[in-house]
Amino acid sequence: MSSYIIRQGGELWSQLTPQMPGLVAVLASLVCFFSIRGYIRKRKAPNDTTPSKQFSSSDPEIIIIGSGVAGSAMATVLGRDGRRVTVIERDLKEPDRIVGELLQPGGLEVLHKLGLTDCVDGFDAHTVKGYVLHDLETKTRVLIPYPTVEEQQKAGRAFHHGKFVMALREKARQEKNVHYIEGSATKLIEDNGVVVGVEYRRKDNEKPEAVYAPLTIVVDGCFSKFRKELVKESVKVTSHFVATLMRDCPQVKDNHAELVLASPSPVLVYQISSHDTRVLVDVRGNMPKDIKGHLLEHVLPQLPEHIQDPFRDSVENGRVRSMPNSFLPPSPVERPGVLVLGDAFNMRHPLTGGGMSVALNDVVIWRELLRTIPSLNNYEEVLGALRVFHLQRKNNHSFVVNVLAQALYELFAAENEHLQSLKRACFEYFKLGGQCVSGPVGLLSVLSPKPHVLIGHFFAVALYAIYSVFRSEPVWAVHRVVYRSTMIFTSACAVLFPLIWSEIKTLFL
């Protein structure tokens, strides 16, 4: 297991170091080596953590708290693998959320890998083939299509979140090894430092009951009840999405989402069914007291003309709702008998729509890891698998999705002039086409989430911004060129490096 962890860590770092100068890469590699070595030597499950609780054949092997996207998918695939699974879900009615409505092409491929492709069929999901990016400052737009592989353009799906979740739940409930309980989990039951079960209350009965299993998986979402006692990192709310639902809104290009670089924060528009189009307006800082007035006075005039009338109607006559946009970097939870997944464990700004793709990829990894552990009472094996999971997910998908989401948001909601220069350069960079589009959209779509590609393109945008400074200033203003270029590059580093550190710091702790 240790050699596997080193190999996974080495693969991740080998993707990062090609973008660094030679000496820095060598030093970074040495630091990474010793951090991974330290990561392996972190505390193991003590020998005396064997619980006194004896599990019976009637007990499930796995308890899953929460039946959203990740919880439902996990229940289905583990049930198919022969595991006895009990799912505790607070409310089995169709959820009504304003995020989690866009599944990137990479996530759709993972859904196929899990045998759940038909969960996006039968409820009028909309095909998404890319983005149209609107720049208000220059009154121009750029098309960002998803990659074409073997002469076939990749596509994602957009839908009403609740309908997708209900389709996933139905799949899980069809499995003979999966049992559902509609009720609220209230407490994790511990025995000698090991989580051995869950106390819960059924929806129609306030009397507490308990269910026991050697492994409990907490997947109870962004407002997780158990996060504080299981996860080291704290949630940071960076902004809020204010949402409306437009009816029969025309599209500037069929089957393409639209991202408007409004001031001060971006607006995301995408069709989620034949007649419904979601609008997500990012609001940074304190929420306005008169939110409808804010949307009509400040946001409406900035929208492309074809969106304005449907948007006005949706604000004046429809529902206006909000949801916090949270950032929660991943941190290992090394507690015998319990795992944490989904938004309870790791969140990023939803601007890029990568959250469900991350969750489904995590399910794929855990399914393969748990297949290698016959008895889930072997807490040392589960702990070793947990460490493999953390390194593998960074290497495969989570590093790129987490960093990209936060970095793009910081650019598109830029407040200082140097980040605004980066935002303008990013738009002009996309207009160059070729690798300047295919590379970034491969990251965005979660089809090729390679860390070195992300870092390379981010700094390519920074250099393009510096190039624009050289073009815009007269020859005699060398001092101003040097100052602005330095500040742009420094601002780029100030955005990217803390995000990279938030992803890899758990190796050092």
Side-chain angles (χ1 to χ4, degrees), residues 31 166 176 227 247 252 303 344 385 390:
V31 171
M166 292 303 285
K176 63 179 182 180
R227 180 189 293 125
R247 191 72 176 168
V252 68
L303 297 178
H390 282 292

Side-chain angles (χ1 to χ4, degrees), residues 20-30:
M20 304 178 185
L23 181 58
V24 175
V26 171
L27 293 174
S29 297
L30 289 173

Side-chain angles (χ1 to χ4, degrees), residues 196-263:
V196 296
V198 177
E199 184 181 283
Y200 66 94
R201 288 185 173 88
R202 292 183 185 271
K203 189 175 182 180
D204 55 355
N205 187 358
E206 286 300 309
K207 183 180 178 181
E209 300 180 57
V211 59
Y212 296 91
L215 181 63
T216 297
I217 303 177
V218 176
V219 208
D220 57 344
C222 58
F223 301 113
S224 173
K225 181 184 297 185
F226 301 101
R227 180 189 293 125
K228 285 186 178 180
E229 60 180 294
L230 295 173
V231 176
K232 298 174 184 176
E233 297 286 344
S234 57
V235 176
K236 297 177 183 177
V237 176
T238 55
S239 65
H240 286 76
F241 261 155
V242 177
T244 67
L245 197 62
M246 301 188 298
R247 191 72 176 168
D248 295 321
C249 177
Q251 293 183 294
V252 68
K253 185 171 178 58
D254 289 343
N255 301 107
H256 282 68
E258 299 182 52
L259 181 61
V260 183
L261 300 183
S263 177

Side-chain angles (χ1 to χ4, degrees), residues 96-103 120 123-128 157-164 243-249 251 255-257 268-280 321:
D96 184 14
R97 290 183 61 188
I98 63 172
V99 294
E101 297 175 315
L102 177 60
L103 183 63
V120 294
F123 55 85
D124 197 22
H126 189 71
T127 300
V128 180
R157 294 289 187 276
F159 36 67
H160 286 276
H161 174 81
K163 296 187 182 300
F164 180 51
T244 67
L245 197 62
M246 301 188 298
R247 191 72 176 168
D248 295 321
C249 177
Q251 293 183 294
N255 301 107
H256 282 68
L268 185 59
V269 181
Y270 52 96
Q271 192 170 341
I272 60 175
S273 71
S274 298
H275 298 284
D276 295 334
T277 299
R278 175 68 70 199
V279 184
L280 296 173
R321 296 185 289 166

Side-chain angles (χ1 to χ4, degrees), residues 61-81:
E61 293 175 272
I62 299 171
I63 301 168
I64 298 178
I65 302 176
S67 188
V69 173
S72 302
M74 181 70 87
T76 302
V77 298
L78 293 181
R80 288 176 181 174
D81 285 350

Side-chain angles (χ1 to χ4, degrees), residues 38-39 62 88 90 269 282 310 360:
Y39 183 61
I62 299 171
I88 303 174
R90 180 179 57 85
V269 181
D282 185 81
L360 292 170

